[in-house]
Amino acid sequence: MTYPYVIAGTGAAGLSLAFYLAQTSLRNQKILLIDKNLKNQNDRTWCFWQKKTSPFEEIIFRKWQKIAFFSRFLEKTLDIAPYHYKMIRGIDFYLYTQNFIQKNSDFEFLQAEIYQMQENSDEVILQTSQGEIKARYVFNGLWQLPQNFERKKGYFYWFQHFKGWFLKTQETKFEADKMYYMDFRVPQKEREVRFGYVLPFSSQEALVEFTVFSNHLLGSQEYLTELQNYTENILGLQNYEISETEFGVIPMFDEPFLSQKSQRIIPIGTRAGAAKASTGFAFDRIQRQTHFIAENLAKSGKAILPKEKPLYHLYDSALLNVIEHNRMSSERVFSILFAKHPIQRIFRFLDEESNWYEDVQIMNAMPWKPFLQAIFENWKNRS
Ligand SMILES: Cc1cc2nc3c(=O)[nH]c(=O)nc-3n(C[C@H](O)[C@H](O)[C@H](O)COP(=O)(O)OP(=O)(O)OC[C@H]3O[C@@H](n4cnc5c(N)ncnc54)[C@H](O)[C@@H]3O)c2cc1C
């Protein structure tokens, strides 16, 4: 048989797409979801800010309305209402969406590794560890960090990479209602962004992370040394027990090199450029992207990705250029941003929902020269 649609990869994007499709008129179609993993492990946690209620509200693990920013230039606690900063555990998301899809649709799940996809004028043929599978269209959410890839001149291939500990302290050490969003008190390096990040679950439990944005990864010992330094010397935690660790690498590429769309294979999720180049945030963007695809597919039968917003690409690339070429330190850039603007405006800007007046306000508060130089250089290198 030929499936009308196959969803390749049941990570955040594949499961989200199926979750939204299961709420449309396509719920009775034979849609096949394939992943090499069963997705029954807590392999990550997702955080995102949000004003409205999430479709996953009942599995939100924690949410905060106070966030703190620290640098040599600024220390500030911000009330982010009407937003919440929310956290979902991977395992809760996988189980919740799998259960919802099984109850509300005729979609099928298959555990198999996909080796190859070949497209002809009528269909896509997938070679998998469970044999050959045919589909009219494939939504491709397969993602693994590429080891080697071609880097085009004038583009930035950065990563958000981080190591974290879920830890418990003996004494009361955290304010449970306040998370640390960016803590620049960690030792800084030129041409990178380095900060601490704390998500408290109670006065004695938290996820503490050391995060870097840069164009290269670190050796494993350096993450450990920096995380330990942040935990013990900056947060002042001495008696603590680690229950789980988290390590992650998220692409912050401003060239969406994997997202090239073919007629019948449609990229989704990270593969479709969902991770924002200037922040690495992807989860909420994946929700918006897959919800859009599902709605349009049900209405018109067409698989369409949401339109790109070129102006925000320009801003993201300018920021990466400014930091990579050391035109300004990242600590200064983010301190200006947090000092001069209400957090709600920053969230709208990062969500690519700000209006032109807000964009001008944000640009206007930054020193013009480094950003204009960056925009000009990016344009020159790409033309
Ligand atoms: C540890 C970690 C923490 C993160 N935290 C946040 C956060 O707090 N906020 C945020 O906005 N973003 C976060 N991200 C970034 C992003 O939201 C996640 O990476 C998200 O899971 C991306 O979704 P995806 O569907 O594109 O890829 P994935 O969720 O990685 O899914 C890809 C799927 O493809 C499958 N696959 C790959 N190759 C094959 C193959 N050959 N055959 C079959 N299956 C295959 C994999 O098993 C996997 O299930 C985080 C990323 C990581 C790694």
Side-chain angles (χ1 to χ4, degrees):
M1 84 171 267
T2 301
Y3 287 92
Y5 304 105
V6 159
I7 298 178
T10 59
L15 283 173
S16 300
L17 178 60
F19 173 80
Y20 294 121
L21 284 171
Q23 298 171 58
T24 71
S25 54
L26 298 174
R27 70 174 68 85
N28 300 120
Q29 297 256 351
K30 285 266 169 251
I31 297 180
L32 180 67
L33 285 80
I34 309 177
D35 202 292
K36 62 180 176 180
N37 293 314
L38 280 176
K39 309 305 286 183
N40 56 5
Q41 307 286 319
N42 191 33
D43 60 358
R44 65 199 63 190
T45 54
W46 288 294
C47 283
F48 52 98
W49 54 84
Q50 197 171 43
K51 208 157 48 166
K52 53 185 185 350
T53 308
S54 164
F56 308 112
E57 206 61 37
E58 60 186 275
I59 51 160
I60 298 289
F61 183 66
R62 286 287 185 284
K63 55 184 179 183
W64 299 266
Q65 244 177 353
K66 272 200 267 174
I67 70 171
F69 178 91
F70 299 90
S71 75
R72 277 175 298 163
F73 314 111
L74 179 74
E75 284 200 16
K76 200 171 177 182
T77 296
L78 304 134
D79 179 348
I80 65 170
Y83 289 86
H84 278 98
Y85 195 72
K86 301 180 180 179
M87 174 182 176
I88 295 185
R89 293 172 352 126
I91 185 65
D92 296 336
F93 176 83
Y94 300 140
L95 296 181
Y96 180 81
T97 48
Q98 285 165 359
N99 190 27
F100 183 93
I101 294 159
Q102 270 155 356
K103 273 199 186 136
N104 294 284
S105 74
D106 293 334
F107 305 170
E108 296 166 16
F109 285 83
L110 175 72
Q111 186 184 6
E113 179 157 4
I114 298 171
Y115 303 131
Q116 211 189 5
M117 294 185 210
Q118 253 179 339
E119 178 181 356
N120 60 38
S121 55
D122 300 321
E123 60 192 9
V124 182
I125 301 171
L126 298 101
Q127 304 299 339
T128 81
S129 55
Q130 298 289 337
E132 189 176 279
I133 292 166
K134 291 180 181 170
R136 293 246 172 273
Y137 293 93
V138 174
F139 290 101
N140 186 0
L142 302 185
W143 173 253
Q144 245 162 12
L145 196 69
Q147 296 300 314
N148 293 306
F149 54 90
E150 198 192 324
R151 290 166 200 242
K152 270 203 209 158
K153 185 171 170 248
Y155 290 90
F156 296 90
Y157 301 88
W158 276 42
F159 304 97
Q160 185 199 117
H161 38 125
F162 49 89
K163 173 127 193 134
W165 287 333
F166 288 83
L167 52 81
K168 186 166 185 182
T169 56
Q170 278 178 8
E171 300 97 38
T172 300
K173 286 287 185 187
F174 305 107
E175 288 174 64
D177 63 342
K178 179 159 94 180
M179 60 85 55
Y180 291 7
Y181 184 69
M182 280 185 134
D183 188 344
F184 280 95
R185 292 175 298 176
V186 299
Q188 295 296 307
K189 282 235 167 119
E190 285 182 354
R191 302 169 197 273
E192 292 182 356
V193 185
R194 289 185 172 213
F195 58 92
Y197 175 81
V198 181
L199 297 170
F201 309 132
S202 71
S203 57
Q204 287 172 276
E205 289 162 298
L207 169 60
V208 175
E209 287 193 348
F210 166 68
T211 303
V212 186
F213 301 170
S214 67
N215 62 11
H216 61 280
L217 303 183
L218 311 181
S220 53
Q221 186 54 45
E222 193 172 351
Y223 294 106
L224 265 183
T225 308
E226 294 297 337
L227 178 57
Q228 189 170 4
N229 175 50
Y230 180 55
T231 307
E232 296 179 5
N233 301 329
I234 296 167
L235 297 177
L237 311 179
Q238 295 303 331
N239 302 314
Y240 59 89
E241 268 175 31
I242 300 164
S243 58
E244 272 179 72
T245 61
E246 182 174 73
F247 176 72
V249 181
I250 306 172
M252 297 170 65
F253 301 167
D254 68 348
E255 190 227 345
F257 70 104
L258 283 169
S259 71
Q260 276 82 19
K261 206 176 139 188
S262 68
Q263 285 299 312
R264 296 188 173 274
I265 305 175
I266 299 102
I268 56 171
T270 311
R271 181 171 275 275
K276 189 167 167 67
S278 58
T279 63
F281 274 101
F283 185 78
D284 195 45
R285 290 161 63 88
I286 287 173
Q287 297 316 312
R288 285 185 256 164
Q289 181 197 73
T290 52
H291 185 256
F292 179 91
I293 297 172
E295 293 256 291
N296 277 285
L297 196 64
K299 263 193 228 144
S300 67
K302 288 194 187 129
I304 319 166
L305 284 166
K307 278 211 179 86
E308 304 265 314
K309 297 186 175 172
L311 196 57
Y312 291 96
H313 277 286
L314 183 121
Y315 300 148
D316 287 347
S317 301
L319 177 71
L320 294 175
N321 181 306
V322 164
I323 298 170
E324 184 161 301
H325 294 290
N326 207 19
R327 300 182 199 280
M328 254 175 95
S329 77
S330 58
E331 185 179 5
R332 229 182 114 217
V333 172
F334 285 99
S335 299
I336 294 175
L337 199 63
F338 279 85
K340 302 233 167 134
H341 302 284
I343 184 73
Q344 294 77 3
R345 183 185 300 154
I346 300 174
F347 283 162
R348 278 195 297 278
F349 182 70
L350 295 177
D351 281 338
E352 305 185 354
E353 286 172 350
S354 49
N355 59 38
W356 68 267
Y357 182 60
E358 289 176 311
D359 292 0
V360 171
Q361 285 176 307
I362 287 182
M363 297 302 132
N364 215 16
M366 287 291 164
W368 278 83
K369 200 172 155 205
F371 280 87
L372 282 180
Q373 280 174 332
I375 290 170
F376 177 69
E377 192 183 84
N378 286 345
W379 169 78
K380 201 176 68 178
N381 285 340
R382 291 171 192 185
S383 49

